[in-house]
Amino acid sequence: MGENQPIFVIQKHDARTLHYDFRLEVDGVLKSWAVPKGPSTDPRTRRLAVAVEDHPLDYADFEGRIPNGEYGAGAVLVWDRGTYRNLRAEDDEPVSMAEALRDGRVAVWLEGEKLRGGYALIRTGKGDDNRWLLIKMKDEEADARRNPVSTQPESVLTGRTLEEIAGQ
Ligand code: MN
């Protein structure tokens, strides 16, 4: 892991509805999307990702229960984390993450514990519509047979399940 590489984190969050918060460190904050079905390792699968508000960097390590009555009340676990590279910065005409976000075309290489390889985030919504798609890119880390959302539900920080955190 490079010392200066930005981080990514995916937090499994049992709020009003279960979802996975996919977060990328960009310019000192965590850019965030809520992915109802979680990430796939199959390039043929497109997962809805709804852009949500930025979170502070130190939220990346949060795992526990958000109390009833607070925004996002419910259990949170750190489902995956690691570093990422901006793949668009490696193209012939490099693009910063800020530009990629404005364009609605993000491409990153994840180095996580569960997820590795290229992922694209493509904005499909227009205007105030916050809908994006999260798609595994076709590369050597793509694997249509894996389904880590169901086979690896536990926290990469503590090994706990969401039920264990909810009942803590
Ligand atoms: Mn959430």
Side-chain angles (χ1 to χ4, degrees):
M1 251 184 233
E3 303 234 326
N4 298 314
Q5 283 184 298
I7 65 153
F8 83 94
V9 64
I10 301 172
Q11 284 159 313
K12 187 177 182 182
H13 184 191
D14 190 12
R16 275 176 302 176
T17 55
L18 182 69
H19 59 272
Y20 293 75
D21 288 301
F22 184 92
R23 309 190 197 276
L24 297 171
E25 177 187 357
V26 179
D27 299 333
V29 298
L30 294 171
K31 292 293 182 184
S32 300
W33 293 260
V35 183
K37 293 185 175 174
S40 174
T41 55
D42 181 352
R44 293 169 305 182
T45 302
R46 293 159 174 242
R47 291 282 158 87
L48 173 66
V50 179
V52 294
E53 70 285 356
D54 298 348
H55 275 54
L57 263 188
D58 61 8
Y59 191 73
D61 291 327
F62 176 74
E63 181 165 291
R65 284 185 58 228
I66 301 173
N68 289 340
E70 287 188 21
Y71 178 75
V76 175
L77 73 68
V78 177
W79 185 79
D80 200 11
R81 65 171 181 172
T83 58
Y84 80 88
R85 295 198 323 266
N86 174 7
L87 293 175
R88 295 199 59 197
E90 298 169 5
D91 289 344
D92 292 341
E93 294 185 39
V95 174
S96 71
M97 284 298 290
E99 288 173 88
L101 288 161
R102 275 198 300 276
D103 283 357
R105 292 193 304 123
V106 170
V108 290
W109 182 276
L110 304 182
E111 295 279 353
E113 296 184 37
K114 295 173 183 169
L115 298 186
R116 294 177 52 81
Y119 277 83
L121 275 158
I122 307 296
R123 186 165 56 219
T124 59
K126 302 266 187 276
D128 290 338
D129 187 335
N130 292 326
R131 274 178 293 187
W132 297 57
L133 292 171
L134 176 65
I135 308 164
K136 178 73 195 76
M137 294 165 75
K138 289 179 186 161
D139 55 39
E140 66 271 24
E141 301 292 347
D143 187 345
R145 295 161 306 179
R146 280 186 70 205
N147 186 6
V149 161
S150 58
T151 61
Q152 296 173 272
E154 71 289 344
S155 164
V156 294
L157 283 186
T158 61
R160 293 184 298 175
T161 63
L162 209 51
E163 291 71 27
E164 288 169 323
I165 291 167
Q168 77 187 8

